[in-house]
mmCIF file of all heavy atoms in Angstrom:
data_model
loop_
_atom_site.group_PDB
_atom_site.id
_atom_site.type_symbol
_atom_site.label_atom_id
_atom_site.label_comp_id
_atom_site.label_asym_id
_atom_site.label_seq_id
_atom_site.Cartn_x
_atom_site.Cartn_y
_atom_site.Cartn_z
ATOM 1 N N GLU A 135 -4.724 15.522 -10.907
ATOM 2 C CA GLU A 135 -3.546 16.107 -11.830
ATOM 3 C C GLU A 135 -4.175 16.880 -12.979
ATOM 4 O O GLU A 135 -3.747 17.924 -13.410
ATOM 5 C CB GLU A 135 -2.657 14.918 -12.250
ATOM 6 C CG GLU A 135 -1.501 15.512 -13.083
ATOM 7 C CD GLU A 135 -0.517 14.370 -13.390
ATOM 8 O OE1 GLU A 135 -0.588 13.251 -12.915
ATOM 9 O OE2 GLU A 135 0.376 14.641 -14.277
ATOM 10 N N GLY A 136 -5.215 16.120 -13.547
ATOM 11 C CA GLY A 136 -5.948 16.802 -14.690
ATOM 12 C C GLY A 136 -6.468 18.115 -14.240
ATOM 13 O O GLY A 136 -6.382 19.148 -15.021
ATOM 14 N N LEU A 137 -7.141 18.202 -13.153
ATOM 15 C CA LEU A 137 -7.593 19.439 -12.563
ATOM 16 C C LEU A 137 -6.587 20.539 -12.313
ATOM 17 O O LEU A 137 -6.810 21.670 -12.750
ATOM 18 C CB LEU A 137 -8.380 19.176 -11.164
ATOM 19 C CG LEU A 137 -8.946 20.405 -10.515
ATOM 20 C CD1 LEU A 137 -10.024 21.068 -11.393
ATOM 21 C CD2 LEU A 137 -9.565 20.002 -9.138
ATOM 22 N N VAL A 138 -5.372 20.118 -11.797
ATOM 23 C CA VAL A 138 -4.332 21.015 -11.719
ATOM 24 C C VAL A 138 -3.785 21.551 -12.975
ATOM 25 O O VAL A 138 -3.671 22.814 -13.176
ATOM 26 C CB VAL A 138 -3.157 20.336 -10.864
ATOM 27 C CG1 VAL A 138 -2.057 21.203 -10.808
ATOM 28 C CG2 VAL A 138 -3.653 20.064 -9.422
ATOM 29 N N LYS A 139 -3.654 20.694 -13.983
ATOM 30 C CA LYS A 139 -3.117 21.224 -15.181
ATOM 31 C C LYS A 139 -4.116 22.161 -15.930
ATOM 32 O O LYS A 139 -3.662 23.196 -16.470
ATOM 33 C CB LYS A 139 -2.861 19.891 -16.143
ATOM 34 C CG LYS A 139 -1.657 19.221 -15.749
ATOM 35 C CD LYS A 139 -1.447 18.033 -16.757
ATOM 36 C CE LYS A 139 -0.107 17.238 -16.381
ATOM 37 N NZ LYS A 139 0.022 16.084 -17.314
ATOM 38 N N ASP A 140 -5.443 21.835 -15.886
ATOM 39 C CA ASP A 140 -6.397 22.707 -16.594
ATOM 40 C C ASP A 140 -6.442 23.986 -15.857
ATOM 41 O O ASP A 140 -6.591 25.120 -16.473
ATOM 42 C CB ASP A 140 -7.744 21.963 -16.426
ATOM 43 C CG ASP A 140 -7.886 20.771 -17.419
ATOM 44 O OD1 ASP A 140 -7.086 20.645 -18.232
ATOM 45 O OD2 ASP A 140 -8.824 19.951 -17.145
ATOM 46 N N THR A 141 -6.319 23.950 -14.502
ATOM 47 C CA THR A 141 -6.412 25.194 -13.815
ATOM 48 C C THR A 141 -5.196 26.146 -14.045
ATOM 49 O O THR A 141 -5.321 27.366 -14.245
ATOM 50 C CB THR A 141 -6.445 24.920 -12.268
ATOM 51 O OG1 THR A 141 -7.636 24.154 -11.911
ATOM 52 C CG2 THR A 141 -6.511 26.277 -11.571
ATOM 53 N N ILE A 142 -4.064 25.545 -14.109
ATOM 54 C CA ILE A 142 -2.815 26.206 -14.548
ATOM 55 C C ILE A 142 -2.843 26.911 -15.933
ATOM 56 O O ILE A 142 -2.496 28.054 -15.986
ATOM 57 C CB ILE A 142 -1.503 25.353 -14.515
ATOM 58 C CG1 ILE A 142 -1.340 24.901 -12.977
ATOM 59 C CG2 ILE A 142 -0.301 26.071 -15.032
ATOM 60 C CD1 ILE A 142 -0.133 23.911 -12.738
ATOM 61 N N LYS A 143 -3.385 26.064 -16.783
ATOM 62 C CA LYS A 143 -3.505 26.634 -18.180
ATOM 63 C C LYS A 143 -4.532 27.833 -18.225
ATOM 64 O O LYS A 143 -4.300 28.855 -18.810
ATOM 65 C CB LYS A 143 -3.868 25.487 -19.054
ATOM 66 C CG LYS A 143 -2.907 24.501 -19.404
ATOM 67 C CD LYS A 143 -3.424 23.373 -20.317
ATOM 68 C CE LYS A 143 -2.264 22.255 -20.499
ATOM 69 N NZ LYS A 143 -2.876 21.213 -21.422
ATOM 70 N N GLU A 144 -5.626 27.621 -17.399
ATOM 71 C CA GLU A 144 -6.608 28.705 -17.405
ATOM 72 C C GLU A 144 -6.189 29.958 -16.835
ATOM 73 O O GLU A 144 -6.245 31.109 -17.318
ATOM 74 C CB GLU A 144 -7.833 28.233 -16.544
ATOM 75 C CG GLU A 144 -8.908 29.232 -16.532
ATOM 76 C CD GLU A 144 -10.185 28.713 -15.579
ATOM 77 O OE1 GLU A 144 -10.177 27.458 -15.453
ATOM 78 O OE2 GLU A 144 -10.889 29.453 -15.105
ATOM 79 N N LEU A 145 -5.291 29.763 -15.742
ATOM 80 C CA LEU A 145 -4.757 30.999 -14.990
ATOM 81 C C LEU A 145 -3.633 31.584 -15.913
ATOM 82 O O LEU A 145 -3.524 32.810 -15.902
ATOM 83 C CB LEU A 145 -4.238 30.643 -13.635
ATOM 84 C CG LEU A 145 -5.320 30.373 -12.586
ATOM 85 C CD1 LEU A 145 -4.520 29.742 -11.377
ATOM 86 C CD2 LEU A 145 -6.027 31.584 -12.249
ATOM 87 N N ALA A 146 -2.913 30.675 -16.613
ATOM 88 C CA ALA A 146 -1.804 31.289 -17.375
ATOM 89 C C ALA A 146 -2.301 32.176 -18.545
ATOM 90 O O ALA A 146 -1.849 33.170 -18.860
ATOM 91 C CB ALA A 146 -0.987 30.118 -17.918
ATOM 92 N N GLN A 147 -3.475 31.719 -19.121
ATOM 93 C CA GLN A 147 -4.109 32.409 -20.198
ATOM 94 C C GLN A 147 -4.745 33.764 -19.692
ATOM 95 O O GLN A 147 -4.667 34.702 -20.404
ATOM 96 C CB GLN A 147 -5.139 31.585 -20.936
ATOM 97 C CG GLN A 147 -4.586 30.453 -21.691
ATOM 98 C CD GLN A 147 -5.637 29.495 -22.171
ATOM 99 O OE1 GLN A 147 -6.849 29.519 -21.890
ATOM 100 N NE2 GLN A 147 -5.062 28.478 -22.918
ATOM 101 N N GLN A 148 -5.334 33.703 -18.517
ATOM 102 C CA GLN A 148 -5.842 34.885 -17.973
ATOM 103 C C GLN A 148 -4.754 35.996 -17.527
ATOM 104 O O GLN A 148 -5.157 37.202 -17.666
ATOM 105 C CB GLN A 148 -6.705 34.557 -16.787
ATOM 106 C CG GLN A 148 -7.976 33.717 -17.084
ATOM 107 C CD GLN A 148 -8.733 33.291 -15.743
ATOM 108 O OE1 GLN A 148 -8.304 33.451 -14.688
ATOM 109 N NE2 GLN A 148 -9.896 32.719 -16.027
ATOM 110 N N ASN A 149 -3.771 35.529 -17.140
ATOM 111 C CA ASN A 149 -2.712 36.372 -16.459
ATOM 112 C C ASN A 149 -1.514 36.481 -17.395
ATOM 113 O O ASN A 149 -0.489 37.124 -16.983
ATOM 114 C CB ASN A 149 -2.288 35.872 -15.078
ATOM 115 C CG ASN A 149 -3.374 35.861 -14.104
ATOM 116 O OD1 ASN A 149 -3.835 36.936 -13.616
ATOM 117 N ND2 ASN A 149 -4.086 34.744 -13.841
ATOM 118 N N ASN A 150 -1.429 36.046 -18.544
ATOM 119 C CA ASN A 150 -0.291 36.128 -19.408
ATOM 120 C C ASN A 150 0.982 35.504 -18.938
ATOM 121 O O ASN A 150 1.996 36.157 -19.050
ATOM 122 C CB ASN A 150 -0.173 37.572 -19.870
ATOM 123 C CG ASN A 150 -1.160 38.152 -20.824
ATOM 124 O OD1 ASN A 150 -1.970 37.299 -21.317
ATOM 125 N ND2 ASN A 150 -1.284 39.354 -20.993
ATOM 126 N N TRP A 151 0.941 34.407 -18.304
ATOM 127 C CA TRP A 151 2.100 33.607 -17.892
ATOM 128 C C TRP A 151 2.563 32.946 -19.206
ATOM 129 O O TRP A 151 1.858 32.107 -19.747
ATOM 130 C CB TRP A 151 1.909 32.643 -16.731
ATOM 131 C CG TRP A 151 1.186 33.188 -15.559
ATOM 132 C CD1 TRP A 151 1.181 34.474 -15.196
ATOM 133 C CD2 TRP A 151 0.475 32.550 -14.615
ATOM 134 N NE1 TRP A 151 0.496 34.740 -14.071
ATOM 135 C CE2 TRP A 151 0.064 33.567 -13.572
ATOM 136 C CE3 TRP A 151 0.130 31.233 -14.317
ATOM 137 C CZ2 TRP A 151 -0.829 33.156 -12.512
ATOM 138 C CZ3 TRP A 151 -0.542 30.767 -13.300
ATOM 139 C CH2 TRP A 151 -0.915 31.791 -12.218
ATOM 140 N N ASP A 152 3.822 33.135 -19.514
ATOM 141 C CA ASP A 152 4.351 32.475 -20.683
ATOM 142 C C ASP A 152 4.897 31.021 -20.491
ATOM 143 O O ASP A 152 4.587 30.180 -21.365
ATOM 144 C CB ASP A 152 5.529 33.366 -21.334
ATOM 145 C CG ASP A 152 5.002 34.702 -21.752
ATOM 146 O OD1 ASP A 152 4.121 34.766 -22.526
ATOM 147 O OD2 ASP A 152 5.630 35.677 -21.191
ATOM 148 N N ILE A 153 5.440 30.780 -19.342
ATOM 149 C CA ILE A 153 6.007 29.449 -19.020
ATOM 150 C C ILE A 153 5.592 29.158 -17.577
ATOM 151 O O ILE A 153 5.846 29.977 -16.748
ATOM 152 C CB ILE A 153 7.504 29.417 -19.180
ATOM 153 C CG1 ILE A 153 7.826 29.739 -20.632
ATOM 154 C CG2 ILE A 153 7.940 28.062 -18.837
ATOM 155 C CD1 ILE A 153 9.346 29.827 -20.929
ATOM 156 N N VAL A 154 5.037 27.919 -17.358
ATOM 157 C CA VAL A 154 4.859 27.492 -16.021
ATOM 158 C C VAL A 154 5.414 26.190 -15.768
ATOM 159 O O VAL A 154 5.372 25.264 -16.473
ATOM 160 C CB VAL A 154 3.164 27.304 -15.820
ATOM 161 C CG1 VAL A 154 2.987 26.825 -14.405
ATOM 162 C CG2 VAL A 154 2.508 28.556 -16.192
ATOM 163 N N LEU A 155 6.349 26.301 -14.685
ATOM 164 C CA LEU A 155 7.149 25.017 -14.416
ATOM 165 C C LEU A 155 6.718 24.359 -13.026
ATOM 166 O O LEU A 155 6.434 25.180 -12.152
ATOM 167 C CB LEU A 155 8.662 25.428 -14.228
ATOM 168 C CG LEU A 155 9.290 26.123 -15.414
ATOM 169 C CD1 LEU A 155 10.737 26.584 -15.035
ATOM 170 C CD2 LEU A 155 9.404 25.159 -16.559
ATOM 171 N N MET A 156 6.559 23.105 -13.014
ATOM 172 C CA MET A 156 6.380 22.375 -11.720
ATOM 173 C C MET A 156 7.636 22.522 -10.969
ATOM 174 O O MET A 156 8.754 22.030 -11.473
ATOM 175 C CB MET A 156 5.954 21.106 -11.961
ATOM 176 C CG MET A 156 4.615 20.842 -12.853
ATOM 177 S SD MET A 156 3.144 21.866 -12.330
ATOM 178 C CE MET A 156 2.870 21.172 -10.612
ATOM 179 N N GLU A 157 7.633 23.012 -9.657
ATOM 180 C CA GLU A 157 8.802 23.198 -8.883
ATOM 181 C C GLU A 157 9.571 21.957 -8.690
ATOM 182 O O GLU A 157 10.774 21.935 -8.561
ATOM 183 C CB GLU A 157 8.496 23.861 -7.655
ATOM 184 C CG GLU A 157 7.963 25.354 -7.856
ATOM 185 C CD GLU A 157 7.491 26.016 -6.543
ATOM 186 O OE1 GLU A 157 7.776 25.370 -5.437
ATOM 187 O OE2 GLU A 157 6.963 27.168 -6.570
ATOM 188 N N GLU A 158 8.841 20.785 -8.515
ATOM 189 C CA GLU A 158 9.433 19.450 -8.165
ATOM 190 C C GLU A 158 10.332 19.090 -9.331
ATOM 191 O O GLU A 158 11.219 18.249 -9.167
ATOM 192 C CB GLU A 158 8.381 18.431 -7.819
ATOM 193 C CG GLU A 158 7.594 18.628 -6.631
ATOM 194 C CD GLU A 158 6.534 19.725 -6.703
ATOM 195 O OE1 GLU A 158 6.358 20.213 -7.720
ATOM 196 O OE2 GLU A 158 5.864 19.898 -5.681
ATOM 197 N N GLN A 159 10.134 19.469 -10.673
ATOM 198 C CA GLN A 159 10.780 19.077 -11.788
ATOM 199 C C GLN A 159 11.896 20.039 -12.174
ATOM 200 O O GLN A 159 12.680 19.686 -13.062
ATOM 201 C CB GLN A 159 9.845 18.910 -12.857
ATOM 202 C CG GLN A 159 8.878 17.699 -12.766
ATOM 203 C CD GLN A 159 9.649 16.425 -12.633
ATOM 204 O OE1 GLN A 159 9.676 15.888 -11.571
ATOM 205 N NE2 GLN A 159 10.134 15.857 -13.754
ATOM 206 N N ALA A 160 11.978 21.258 -11.730
ATOM 207 C CA ALA A 160 12.848 22.175 -12.008
ATOM 208 C C ALA A 160 14.191 21.974 -11.327
ATOM 209 O O ALA A 160 14.195 21.860 -10.137
ATOM 210 C CB ALA A 160 12.319 23.554 -11.755
ATOM 211 N N VAL A 161 15.284 21.885 -12.033
ATOM 212 C CA VAL A 161 16.639 21.801 -11.523
ATOM 213 C C VAL A 161 17.004 23.074 -10.923
ATOM 214 O O VAL A 161 17.620 23.110 -9.866
ATOM 215 C CB VAL A 161 17.624 21.339 -12.704
ATOM 216 C CG1 VAL A 161 19.069 21.283 -12.118
ATOM 217 C CG2 VAL A 161 17.252 20.029 -13.250
ATOM 218 N N TYR A 162 16.718 24.118 -11.601
ATOM 219 C CA TYR A 162 17.028 25.552 -11.011
ATOM 220 C C TYR A 162 16.008 26.378 -11.477
ATOM 221 O O TYR A 162 15.684 26.477 -12.628
ATOM 222 C CB TYR A 162 18.461 25.883 -11.546
ATOM 223 C CG TYR A 162 18.749 27.352 -11.161
ATOM 224 C CD1 TYR A 162 19.124 27.733 -9.898
ATOM 225 C CD2 TYR A 162 18.814 28.259 -12.268
ATOM 226 C CE1 TYR A 162 19.514 29.073 -9.636
ATOM 227 C CE2 TYR A 162 19.125 29.651 -11.986
ATOM 228 C CZ TYR A 162 19.384 29.984 -10.701
ATOM 229 O OH TYR A 162 19.714 31.331 -10.411
ATOM 230 N N VAL A 163 15.673 27.384 -10.652
ATOM 231 C CA VAL A 163 14.795 28.427 -10.823
ATOM 232 C C VAL A 163 15.239 29.775 -10.386
ATOM 233 O O VAL A 163 15.561 29.899 -9.152
ATOM 234 C CB VAL A 163 13.366 28.271 -10.147
ATOM 235 C CG1 VAL A 163 12.312 29.317 -10.519
ATOM 236 C CG2 VAL A 163 12.801 26.871 -10.703
ATOM 237 N N ASN A 164 15.457 30.795 -11.217
ATOM 238 C CA ASN A 164 16.073 32.018 -10.713
ATOM 239 C C ASN A 164 15.045 33.004 -10.222
ATOM 240 O O ASN A 164 13.818 32.622 -10.095
ATOM 241 C CB ASN A 164 16.891 32.654 -11.852
ATOM 242 C CG ASN A 164 15.928 33.137 -12.993
ATOM 243 O OD1 ASN A 164 14.706 33.305 -12.952
ATOM 244 N ND2 ASN A 164 16.590 33.223 -14.191
ATOM 245 N N LYS A 165 15.350 34.128 -9.814
ATOM 246 C CA LYS A 165 14.524 35.030 -9.130
ATOM 247 C C LYS A 165 13.554 35.558 -10.013
ATOM 248 O O LYS A 165 12.501 36.275 -9.579
ATOM 249 C CB LYS A 165 15.448 36.233 -8.527
ATOM 250 C CG LYS A 165 16.330 35.792 -7.328
ATOM 251 C CD LYS A 165 17.091 36.916 -6.789
ATOM 252 C CE LYS A 165 18.071 36.523 -5.695
ATOM 253 N NZ LYS A 165 18.704 37.571 -5.135
#
Side-chain angles (χ1 to χ4, degrees):
E135 183 174 353
L137 176 61
V138 171
K139 287 183 178 180
D140 290 344
T141 301
I142 288 175
K143 289 177 182 178
E144 181 181 338
L145 290 173
Q147 291 170 352
Q148 291 175 354
N149 297 283
N150 289 345
W151 304 339
D152 297 303
I153 300 174
V154 182
L155 302 174
M156 300 310 293
E157 293 176 8
E158 291 81 0
Q159 289 301 106
V161 176
Y162 169 74
V163 180
N164 63 25
K165 294 180 180 179

